[in-house]
Amino acid sequence: MAWKTLDDMDLDGKRVLTRVDINVPVENGEVTDATRIERVGPTVQDILSRGGKPVLLAHFGRPKGKVVPEMSLKMLVPAIEAAFGTKVHFATLDEAEVVIDACDAGQVVLLENTRFEPGEEKNDAELAKRYAALGDIYCNDAFSAAHRAHASTEALAHLLPACAGRLMQAELEALDAALGTPKRPVLAVVGGAKVSTKLELLGNLVEKVDLLVIGGGMANTFLAAKGIDVGKSLCEHEMAGTAKEIIAKAATAGCEILLPSDVVVAREFRENAPSETVPADACPADAMILDAGPDSVEAVKAAIDKAETLIWNGPLGAFEIAPFDAATNAAAAHAAAATAHGQLVSVAGGGDTVAALNKAGAAEDFTYISTAGGAFLEWMEGKVLPGVAALG
């Protein structure tokens, strides 16, 4: 691989500037979910066990280059100490050198919110130099911030020997297994409300995967583009031309597109609204499509059975409310079972996706679930992520 990991670095006695994502939910100054902090643990423990001194760089919220007291990382210190089981010293950038020098072996330094610095989001070279002067090695463990070219994610990586942390390494290895050098056939499941937000994604995927399942509101747009009346369904009729272009591109690339053959329709969007299953081309004029039907689910399951690799982004229906979560739940459970039996490498990501797979009880059996949101989507779109490229 083009990038180095912690295994390639001599950490003994070294100050390791470690970019992390600890943008956790906080209420009344207390961390309500420490998952993101806990996920950084293996990287921090690895650095400590090999005689290094971790100096954590992180952002919190959107202070836009100004000091906003309620966005100070100081409030995270108790949660970080609890997660890592060690003393954490907090410092502003001006105090950093003194605090780092005074920090004992086996302890951690946390620097103040990088976005308090006006140069952070401008990828300012002078700010990066100030950071670089504080360390010997740069370790990026924040894949979720890798799509941003900021001073602490991009410019800094060019000024010190650089590597990926354990979380970043796991993410990059999972993504490479899914789209870089995957076992074929590769199946992509892409759902969600709008085609317009996933144009680049679909355009990239049809050239990379063997089969593409399109679900959710997006599927309605593709059905409409084929001349099918979708009634009052969520549908971007103005995207019909684009949908046709994607279908043509897929045909040229040898990628099969799978759309729903039957659909679950209702007259109102609410929990347990009266619903019926009809063929995809028989949606009543006064109804809306809210889920894929049982025949469509069987087709998705059959596609999963044929695949060696699965990439999943977005639900197949209005998964937030029953009974319109049925298709997503059934397909996700099938993919989870295939993964658990060693028949499938499954990688999923994107906000709604994580929520949908958790709701289906399928998340823990997937090979890898990315919580990176924007970075995961940009990677699926085939874009170069500045924070990853800088490690190369």
Side-chain angles (χ1 to χ4, degrees), residues 37 48 58 88 130 136 198 213 224 244 253 293 300 316 339 349 379:
I37 294 171
L48 290 172
V88 174
R130 282 191 72 188
D136 306 299
K198 297 194 176 177
V213 170
K244 286 177 185 168
V300 174
L316 298 178
T339 307
W379 166 82

Side-chain angles (χ1 to χ4, degrees), residues 43-331:
T43 295
V44 172
Q45 299 302 345
D46 201 359
I47 295 167
L48 290 172
S49 69
R50 288 166 56 196
K53 189 182 284 187
V55 179
L56 305 184
L57 296 167
H59 72 275
F60 187 86
R62 299 176 187 271
K64 304 282 184 198
K66 296 186 176 69
V67 175
V68 181
E70 58 269 27
M71 291 184 191
S72 172
L73 291 185
K74 192 168 189 176
M75 63 184 166
L76 304 187
V77 169
I80 297 171
E81 288 184 332
F84 300 164
T86 187
K87 174 77 179 158
V88 174
H89 300 271
F90 178 77
T92 64
L93 188 51
D94 290 338
E95 303 161 341
E97 194 172 355
V98 173
V99 174
I100 293 166
D101 287 345
C103 175
D104 292 334
Q107 298 179 343
V108 174
V109 177
L110 171 67
L111 297 192
E112 182 57 285
N113 192 339
T114 57
R115 290 187 182 171
F116 281 5
E117 301 297 329
E120 166 68 357
E121 296 185 69
K122 295 174 184 158
N123 202 18
D124 181 67
E126 291 308 310
L127 177 59
K129 282 182 195 163
R130 282 191 72 188
Y131 283 135
L134 302 171
D136 306 299
I137 289 169
Y138 174 74
C139 170
N140 192 341
D141 209 29
F143 178 79
S144 51
H147 58 313
R148 311 255 187 248
H150 290 174
S152 68
T153 61
E154 205 277 337
L156 175 55
H158 298 288
L159 302 179
L160 294 172
C163 68
R166 295 303 181 206
L167 191 56
M168 172 83 97
Q169 178 185 349
E171 188 102 31
L172 293 177
E173 285 171 353
L175 299 186
D176 188 58
L179 267 193
T181 50
K183 288 184 180 171
R184 292 194 173 275
V186 182
L187 165 66
V189 173
V190 180
K194 294 185 173 181
V195 173
S196 53
T197 58
K198 297 194 176 177
L199 277 181
E200 291 179 82
L201 173 63
L202 295 170
N204 185 47
L205 286 180
V206 294
E207 296 188 327
K208 297 268 180 77
V209 308
D210 304 294
L211 184 62
L212 173 62
V213 170
I214 298 178
M218 295 169 60
N220 303 337
T221 301
F222 277 82
L223 292 171
K226 293 181 126 189
I228 292 170
D229 186 351
V230 294
K232 292 188 171 175
S233 307
L234 175 67
C235 177
E236 294 177 288
H237 292 284
E238 71 282 3
M239 301 299 293
T242 306
K244 286 177 185 168
E245 283 167 26
I246 291 167
I247 291 168
K249 192 175 182 183
T252 305
C255 169
E256 184 187 342
I257 291 181
L258 196 61
L259 292 169
S261 58
D262 62 339
V263 291
V264 179
V265 301
R267 267 75 182 173
E268 50 185 331
F269 180 72
R270 65 170 173 84
E271 188 98 22
N272 297 317
S275 62
E276 58 188 304
T277 301
V278 298
D281 59 1
C283 176
D286 65 340
M288 52 190 147
I289 299 170
L290 293 176
D291 201 11
D295 291 349
S296 303
V297 172
E298 289 309 312
V300 174
K301 286 183 182 176
I304 290 168
D305 291 339
K306 279 193 294 194
E308 293 272 339
T309 303
L310 167 68
I311 305 155
W312 188 309
N313 173 256
L316 298 178
F319 79 97
E320 305 90 343
I321 56 173
F324 312 112
D325 55 352
T328 302
N329 291 349

